[in-house]
Amino acid sequence: MARPSIPRGRVSGNVSMRLTGMKRQVTSLGGLPAVRMAWDTLGMNSILLEHSFEKRSGAPATELAFAVTVEHLAQARSNVELEKALQDPVLAACIGGRQVDETTLSRFRNDNRFDWGGVLEGVSERLQSFDLTRADEDGILIVDDTIAEKAGEKIEGVRRLYDSSAERYVTGHSIVNLVYSGRRVFYPLACEIVLPVSDGMEYLTKNDLALCMLKGAVRRGFRQTVVHDSAYLCDDLMQFLDSANVPWVSKCKSNRILVYHGRRLHAHELGSILGRSRFRRHKRYRDIEYASAIAELPGHGLCRFVVVRNFREDEPEGADVGIKYLLASDESVHGSTVVRLYKMRWKVEEYHRSAKQDLGLKDYQGRKLRGVIAHLMSVALAHILVVFMKACLPRLKGASTGQLVRDFICTSCRVNSHGARLTVLYDRILPYSEAIRHYQMARAG
């Protein structure tokens, strides 16, 4: 029988047809295999198992922990959005090809058997085993808090708080963070929620929480200079750090009592005395001027007192900065060093902004406090994964968290599926494609 003739015709050059044993798919999370590699390199599953994450039936808790952590990098802002994201072939392959629904995710977040705080501490210890992320001796520990504004009054732990940045009262959670900042990396060490006082129950204040977190950090070997604002300049914190021989630098209020040449003076009075002499211009920050002296701080002893002009923090552009006062526990430290160390405290504000804008710190919807804690800890873990990837991949070093999420992780790519193996085809013209190609991280499964 004669074969039917096929009429000749023109086919667009953009269309090609070929026989293949592979199934072609599309992913919106082309950079996710690199995140899974960072997760495995850190040994996250073993850390999770050490903190009771094996106590669960159904989908393994370690894979669900990866899913809720990646949620922040995949731009999913709820359990429903995460369930949809899990339909992505790459994300499904990274958690073992399991189908997970919204109910499972909700139950996992609210499970009180999992020690999320212990996981964050375990990860910070694991980071010390890598040269690129090990804490430097000249790094600092920063204590600060931020507010996650929430409208729902039935959410556990919410209360009315004064937001100094917005200069108004809001309803939400007050979150205290302890973070490490060094020359190469910056990552959180601990995170706690300040709970409201209720009848018949006693809750820790943010100073108490900061003290607990610092005790844990010192126990794990972190003895870098602690930097914080005036809200944390309290006797308990000073006494602990002094007893542990950990130096600290703090901002102080203008009415703080100091002893100078036998006279009890407020900080603003001592600042006026020092201001009569000529201020020095800081060598690194040329717009900042400072003057310093050794004074005695009641409850601590001798310290370095520094009065600073033109030190801009969160003041809006054009606003009067005014005079600020700093204290350092080591009276032998130079005034310019005190200014430089306190200037480094701004890194925690960058972390808060990035966590809210890029990782969805405020975008939790559950009412149970346990779920809120799981959300906050998974945000911190997502940030650590980004930091670790940037440390391991030099071509990602200059990217911000937002750029990494938008241009590297949440990137549309083609996927080849052959049996249980999945290959992401990363286009050469896409941002950071050199990082993927150089380190051969484009495979998952």
Side-chain angles (χ1 to χ4, degrees):
M1 181 176 179
R3 292 185 179 181
S5 62
I6 301 176
R8 293 185 178 185
R10 298 181 59 84
V11 180
S12 170
N14 295 327
V15 178
S16 64
M17 295 166 51
R18 66 175 179 173
L19 295 176
T20 176
M22 296 183 178
K23 181 181 178 182
R24 292 186 176 275
Q25 296 174 291
V26 177
T27 178
S28 60
L29 300 172
L32 196 57
V35 181
R36 182 69 205 205
M37 181 178 178
W39 177 277
D40 293 335
T41 304
L42 279 171
M44 286 297 304
N45 284 354
S46 63
I47 296 174
L48 290 165
L49 291 174
E50 291 172 2
H51 294 88
S52 305
F53 274 73
E54 78 283 356
K55 299 176 181 178
R56 190 183 186 284
S57 60
T62 53
E63 299 305 323
L64 292 178
F66 176 78
V68 299
T69 301
V70 168
E71 168 192 14
H72 311 297
L73 303 176
Q75 301 294 285
R77 293 296 182 251
S78 66
N79 288 335
V80 175
E81 292 184 12
L82 180 55
E83 182 182 358
K84 293 179 181 178
L86 286 167
Q87 306 303 315
D88 188 288
V90 172
L91 181 51
C94 285
I95 64 170
R98 294 177 178 85
Q99 296 297 322
V100 182
D101 58 21
E102 175 191 358
T103 303
T104 301
L105 293 168
S106 180
R107 288 176 178 173
F108 172 75
R109 294 179 193 275
N110 294 320
D111 197 321
N112 59 10
R113 294 172 296 178
F114 305 143
D115 182 10
W116 284 97
V119 171
L120 186 55
E121 292 181 358
V123 175
S124 66
E125 290 185 74
R126 185 64 58 86
L127 289 172
Q128 307 316 305
S129 61
F130 298 92
D131 292 336
L132 294 172
T133 55
R134 185 179 296 119
D136 305 313
E137 291 184 1
D138 57 350
I140 63 171
L141 303 180
I142 311 173
V143 179
D144 198 26
D145 56 275
T146 187
I147 295 176
E149 188 174 347
K150 306 303 294 183
E153 297 182 356
K154 293 184 178 181
I155 301 175
E156 292 183 4
V158 298
R159 60 172 176 167
R160 193 166 178 77
L161 303 162
Y162 182 73
D163 188 348
S164 57
S165 61
E167 297 183 346
R168 61 186 177 90
Y169 280 93
V170 299
T171 301
H173 287 122
S174 178
I175 305 165
V176 182
N177 289 297
L178 174 64
V179 299
Y180 163 77
S181 178
R183 290 173 307 203
R184 295 171 296 183
V185 291
F186 172 86
Y187 47 79
L189 301 178
C191 175
E192 295 284 353
I193 295 179
V194 181
L195 297 175
V197 177
S198 61
D199 295 338
M201 297 187 70
E202 228 175 271
Y203 290 98
L204 298 176
T205 65
K206 66 180 183 180
N207 287 334
D208 294 330
L209 293 176
L211 179 58
C212 291
M213 290 190 291
L214 284 170
K215 286 181 177 179
V218 171
R219 187 172 60 251
R220 301 196 303 276
F222 291 92
R223 292 184 171 272
Q224 288 80 6
T225 300
V226 177
V227 182
H228 51 76
D229 60 20
S230 57
Y232 295 94
L233 187 60
C234 62
D235 291 339
D236 290 343
L237 211 61
M238 283 192 299
Q239 291 170 7
F240 166 71
L241 295 176
D242 292 341
S243 64
N245 294 320
V246 176
W248 52 264
V249 170
S250 174
K251 187 179 176 181
C252 75
K253 295 182 179 180
S254 61
N255 61 353
R256 189 82 188 191
I257 296 294
L258 298 164
V259 179
Y260 183 67
H261 291 172
R263 297 172 56 193
R264 290 175 61 87
L265 301 170
H266 288 114
H268 70 88
E269 294 174 326
L270 179 53
S272 298
I273 294 174
L274 298 179
R276 293 170 188 167
S277 60
R278 186 169 64 87
F279 275 80
R280 296 182 180 182
R281 189 175 297 277
H282 200 280
K283 292 182 179 180
R284 177 178 296 185
Y285 310 107
R286 300 300 296 171
D287 55 332
I288 294 178
E289 297 178 335
Y290 70 95
S292 68
I294 297 177
E296 181 182 349
L297 177 64
H300 165 73
L302 295 179
C303 66
R304 172 66 63 178
F305 173 78
V306 184
V307 55
V308 190
R309 289 195 305 208
N310 301 326
F311 192 112
R312 185 173 296 278
E313 292 181 274
D314 54 355
E315 295 89 355
E317 289 295 331
D320 182 22
V321 178
I323 299 290
K324 296 179 181 179
Y325 310 100
L326 306 177
L327 289 173
S329 60
D330 185 0
E331 72 277 9
S332 64
V333 155
H334 197 274
S336 63
T337 303
V338 177
V339 174
R340 178 181 61 82
L341 289 173
Y342 193 77
K343 190 78 172 176
M344 292 171 64
R345 193 196 73 86
W346 189 250
K347 290 291 290 183
V348 74
E349 303 293 350
E350 295 178 0
Y351 168 67
H352 290 157
R353 183 176 65 249
S354 175
K356 291 177 180 179
Q357 294 179 355
D358 304 320
L359 301 178
L361 177 68
K362 300 189 299 182
D363 299 331
Y364 52 90
Q365 301 174 0
R367 294 182 179 181
K368 293 184 179 180
L369 184 62
R370 191 66 196 169
V372 175
I373 293 174
H375 175 86
L376 298 179
M377 294 299 178
S378 59
V379 167
L381 292 177
H383 177 82
I384 288 175
L385 287 176
V386 169
V387 169
F388 190 70
M389 289 168 57
K390 290 167 65 176
C392 294
L393 303 174
R395 294 180 183 274
L396 301 180
K397 186 176 181 180
S400 67
T401 301
Q403 288 173 326
L404 214 60
V405 169
R406 292 188 302 270
D407 300 334
F408 181 70
I409 298 173
C410 296
T411 301
S412 296
C413 299
R414 289 181 297 135
V415 176
N416 278 349
S417 177
H418 187 68
R421 194 172 191 83
L422 201 68
T423 302
V424 179
L425 306 177
Y426 209 87
D427 199 314
R428 293 175 180 270
I429 65 172
L430 293 174
Y432 310 115
S433 58
E434 289 293 330
I436 280 285
R437 189 161 58 251
H438 183 71
Y439 286 89
Q440 298 180 353
M441 289 186 181
R443 294 191 175 185

